[in-house]
Amino acid sequence: MPAMLPTRLRVASATLSLFCMSMFGASQAATPPEHEAALQAIIAAFEEQYVFPEMRPRIAQHLKEAERSGRYDTQDAAEFAERVTADLQQVSGDKHLWLSVDPAGYAAAMETDNDDERVQAMWQRLALREHHGLTEMKVLGGNVRYLRISRFDWLNDQSGAAYDRAMSFLKDGDAVIIDLRGNGGGSHSAVRHLVSHFMDGDVLEMTFLEGSKPPVQSRTHEHLPAGRLKGMPLYVLIDLSSASAAEAFAYDVQQFKLGELVGGKTVGAANNNTLLPVAPNFILSISYGRPVHPVSNTNWEGVGVTPSVAADPAQALEVAHSLALKRLSERDGVSEENLLEYTWARAAVEASLHPVTFTKDRLQRLAGSYGSYKVEFRDGTLWLIRRDRAPARLSPMTADGLFAVERINGVRVKLTGKTMEVFRPGQPQPQVLPRA
């Protein structure tokens, strides 16, 4: 007889990151009968509720054959969980299927009277300690506003206010970059609130299907305290660690043509999952529903979301920033003041994307006195010396001799060997100093 499964713990929306950070848990011992009973419970769960009925017998058969082959003959619970996870994902292609060793989670799930309170308390603590997943906001060069969302947390009557403050910050920018690299998912309520700011109100955003139940629609909000950002140049950073709810937002951006996706292809985990306790100390993640997008009439399960601008994920921010500045510079009616700011900022971004090096001989030839300034070669680099000021290192930006001056408010100098041109932010023409 298969082991009985207590009431399941449903994740608010498809999510990977929260429970997969230590998916297989610490090594623990378990007896062969316990593993056998756990496997029977897992098979029973899939036969009863997996999102794709036609796949249920195939998954069950695959697990049974693996058991008969001796694949699960181990007393290490973590190793057992790892093998089951690999088999589930191999036969289904579903990244939301996994088994973890989680004694604390199992114990909480078994206390059925307090399930909802315990799960809610866990989510609330994480959300509040990490500012609802909105972990970084800053102004980049050219007034490009940056927001990092590490996870799509959502607490009713709390997270919305945090998102509204973040949206007010983004709204004052000339362009927006939202960083979803490494974001493993979370609540679709957060996705819905975020994407609503870039669309009209009351637009069908996603439909969720679960067995024979009536479809559930997600529609964009009609009222937004921070207002809308429609038409704002939008760049979203993604990579192979962007999953689930993070992919939902990226997919919306792609399908509704709201902006550019920059980086690498995402995981490909679209299904909605739930968490089930399995004796003795396991937690099983199983997909119970799936989203359908109104534009594509499908989703990103198994295929991921492909970026419109492919880039090394480690450099995706710089690539998106440079692209944003380039397109802002090319807009009709851009003011000379803004154009100068965009050009200035882009030069720094391009220098970080395409670093240049100078030979020791060339650096030594550029050293000398220029007006009240002196350029010295020491420790393999150039330093700018001014009276009564600390020396400032010169970092090469371009092959023609443009250098950034560290610690002096964005000042740059260009050394030609005969002159030093001093560039300051906001000034269209440099100060030219001949070499003494």
Side-chain angles (χ1 to χ4, degrees), residues 59-373:
I59 293 173
Q61 183 64 26
H62 188 85
L63 295 179
K64 292 175 183 178
E65 290 177 355
E67 182 185 28
R68 286 194 294 268
S69 72
R71 176 166 167 76
Y72 305 137
D73 291 347
T74 175
Q75 293 186 2
D76 188 319
E79 186 175 4
F80 173 77
E82 183 176 0
R83 293 177 182 179
V84 171
T85 296
D87 290 346
L88 288 173
Q89 294 188 3
Q90 177 187 355
V91 68
S92 67
D94 188 338
K95 301 296 178 62
H96 277 105
L97 306 185
W98 46 263
L99 184 69
S100 70
V101 180
D102 188 353
Y106 177 82
M110 294 302 292
E111 296 180 15
T112 55
D113 292 341
N114 297 318
D115 270 356
D116 293 340
E117 293 179 8
R118 286 177 177 270
V119 172
Q120 181 62 23
M122 176 189 65
W123 282 102
Q124 182 166 0
R125 181 180 183 278
L126 285 168
L128 294 180
R129 291 184 68 83
E130 298 185 18
H131 193 57
H132 308 270
L134 308 173
T135 52
E136 186 177 1
M137 289 183 282
K138 59 185 176 182
V139 181
L140 304 178
N143 194 28
V144 175
R145 300 296 175 98
Y146 170 89
L147 170 65
R148 169 158 176 72
I149 305 178
S150 61
R151 188 176 58 246
F152 280 100
D153 292 334
W154 190 260
L155 301 177
N156 290 335
D157 303 323
Q158 296 184 62
S159 298
Y163 268 87
D164 293 338
R165 290 190 293 271
M167 293 303 104
S168 295
F169 169 78
L170 297 182
K171 192 174 181 180
D172 290 335
D174 293 4
V176 168
I177 296 176
I178 296 179
D179 192 348
L180 302 183
R181 292 174 297 178
N183 183 321
S187 170
H188 192 81
S189 295
V191 174
R192 175 191 179 194
H193 192 74
L194 176 61
V195 78
S196 293
H197 289 82
F198 299 93
M199 300 176 62
D200 290 325
D202 195 30
V203 174
L204 177 60
E205 180 259 337
M206 202 80 74
T207 299
F208 293 95
L209 306 179
E210 181 182 351
S212 59
K213 294 182 179 180
V216 176
Q217 289 188 347
S218 169
R219 305 186 73 87
T220 57
H221 294 304
E222 294 187 77
H223 171 68
L224 297 168
R228 300 189 189 274
L229 285 75
K230 282 186 59 181
M232 174 77 75
L234 173 64
Y235 302 85
V236 179
L237 312 184
I238 55 176
D239 65 4
L240 193 55
S241 297
S242 305
S244 197
E247 293 177 283
F249 180 73
Y251 199 70
D252 276 340
V253 171
Q254 179 191 78
Q255 296 298 312
F256 289 124
K257 303 185 186 307
L258 305 178
E260 297 275 12
L261 302 178
V262 183
K265 182 181 285 190
T266 62
V267 169
N271 296 332
N272 305 106
N273 63 319
T274 189
L275 304 179
L276 305 178
V278 177
N281 284 307
F282 297 109
I283 292 292
L284 173 68
S285 172
I286 183 171
S287 302
Y288 67 87
R290 61 188 178 92
V292 176
H293 199 276
V295 176
S296 66
N297 291 316
T298 183
N299 59 45
W300 58 96
E301 179 65 36
V303 296
V305 184
T306 302
S308 53
V309 180
D312 180 349
Q315 295 184 314
L317 174 56
E318 290 77 14
V319 171
H321 190 192
S322 179
L323 182 59
L325 293 168
K326 177 177 183 294
R327 292 184 176 172
L328 288 170
S329 300
E330 295 170 347
R331 290 190 306 182
D332 293 336
V334 61
S335 69
E336 289 297 326
E337 183 180 21
N338 284 353
L339 180 60
L340 186 63
E341 185 179 352
Y342 299 148
T343 303
W344 179 274
R346 191 173 182 226
V349 180
E350 285 295 310
S352 67
L353 281 172
H354 309 288
V356 298
T357 58
F358 284 50
T359 65
K360 177 181 177 180
D361 288 344
R362 184 177 178 189
L363 291 175
Q364 289 177 324
R365 288 197 301 270
L366 296 176
S369 296
Y370 301 86
S372 60
Y373 297 91

